[in-house]
Amino acid sequence: MNVFKVKRITEADYGCEDTGRDEPMALLFLEPVSDNADLNADTVKEKRVEAAESFLEKQGISEGKKVIIFDNGEIRKYVRVVAAIIIAENAESKKMVFATQRGYGEFKDGWEFPGGKVEEGETPEEAIVREIKEELDTDIKVERFFYTIEHDYPEFHLSMDCFICSIVNGDLVLKEHEAARWLTIDKLDDVDWLPADITIIDKIRDLLD
């Protein structure tokens, strides 16, 4: 699979030909972007892809957005985010991880590792430090890269870089989230994790063991 940025969208031009299409089609002009882990300028070129206008509207795909194209030709909106795996110890010297409950949007009330979207020009490490400062009023240090989650939601593909982090300064103030909990290994299954986050719970279990 490869990641592209939508440079331009125009109406698909079929001239006088009767295509038999039941709905209007659009032509997407795509350029490869550096989100491709294995990007090779010799193999990944600019592309033109047709898609139904209704599909683009439903997926929220517009000029300037990123899309992912799978090996079977399927196209989907691409969202790149970062998450902080904040590890600490409680009074009993047991390791625990910080989890937050989403307080807004489609996935409201689901539990996740805090973080957010990577902005243009940011490194993932810069993004997670900024997001935690904005969302939790806390300064963190990125200790190391942990894992990248690739997960298909119904209307977009999520790529989430997870980093092991420690607290430098601050009290993890909830500015956007509904609730938060420090979870020890025996409490990891006590919350309703979001579909992407739950895929690494076993890996988190190993961290806390």
Side-chain angles (χ1 to χ4, degrees):
M1 59 186 182
N2 292 298
V3 181
F4 296 84
K5 185 174 182 178
V6 181
K7 290 177 59 178
R8 184 160 53 98
I9 299 178
T10 65
E11 181 179 351
D13 183 12
Y14 297 110
C16 298
E17 180 184 355
D18 181 7
T19 66
R21 305 267 189 184
D22 294 329
E23 55 183 318
M25 300 293 289
L27 183 63
L28 283 68
F29 294 79
L30 310 174
E31 62 178 0
V33 297
S34 58
D35 296 73
N36 294 305
D38 57 350
L39 181 62
N40 185 319
D42 295 328
T43 58
V44 183
K45 304 290 186 179
E46 293 189 357
K47 295 177 71 72
R48 295 183 184 184
V49 176
E50 286 187 6
E53 292 180 2
S54 59
F55 170 80
L56 298 181
E57 182 177 357
K58 180 181 179 181
Q59 294 276 321
I61 297 174
S62 58
E63 292 182 356
K65 298 290 186 180
K66 292 179 181 179
V67 298
I68 191 166
I69 299 180
F70 295 91
D71 294 339
N72 64 1
E74 179 186 358
I75 183 172
R76 188 171 296 194
K77 183 179 177 181
Y78 173 83
V79 178
R80 189 183 186 195
V81 300
V82 287
I85 311 299
I86 302 174
I87 304 292
E89 289 189 356
N90 61 18
E92 300 173 349
S93 298
K94 287 186 176 181
K95 290 182 180 179
M96 51 188 184
V97 65
F98 188 71
T100 52
Q101 186 178 32
R102 184 168 289 208
Y104 59 90
E106 179 183 357
F107 301 105
K108 184 180 183 299
D109 297 333
W111 286 79
E112 63 185 349
F113 298 106
K117 292 183 179 180
V118 179
E119 294 183 352
E120 199 72 34
E122 277 187 323
T123 65
E125 291 85 352
E126 290 170 341
I128 193 57
V129 170
R130 173 186 54 75
E131 284 286 346
I132 298 304
K133 183 64 175 179
E134 292 176 356
E135 293 184 2
L136 298 167
D137 198 23
T138 297
D139 297 312
I140 61 169
K141 176 184 177 182
V142 175
E143 300 292 346
R144 63 182 174 88
F145 170 76
F146 180 56
Y147 190 78
T148 296
I149 296 172
E150 300 288 348
H151 185 79
D152 288 320
Y153 282 98
E155 294 183 357
F156 64 93
H157 177 86
L158 181 78
S159 180
M160 182 162 71
D161 291 332
C162 303
F163 296 90
I164 304 295
C165 301
S166 58
I167 297 173
V168 174
N169 181 56
D171 298 317
L172 296 170
V173 179
L174 300 185
K175 301 172 70 175
E176 298 181 12
H177 297 93
E178 192 169 297
R181 289 182 63 180
W182 284 101
L183 301 172
T184 52
I185 189 170
D186 56 317
K187 298 295 184 181
L188 285 174
D189 297 325
D190 287 1
V191 300
D192 186 15
W193 293 102
L194 291 179
D197 295 69
I198 199 172
T199 64
I200 62 166
I201 292 305
D202 284 343
K203 295 182 182 298
I204 299 297
R205 214 180 303 276
D206 292 339
L207 277 179
L208 303 182
D209 192 5

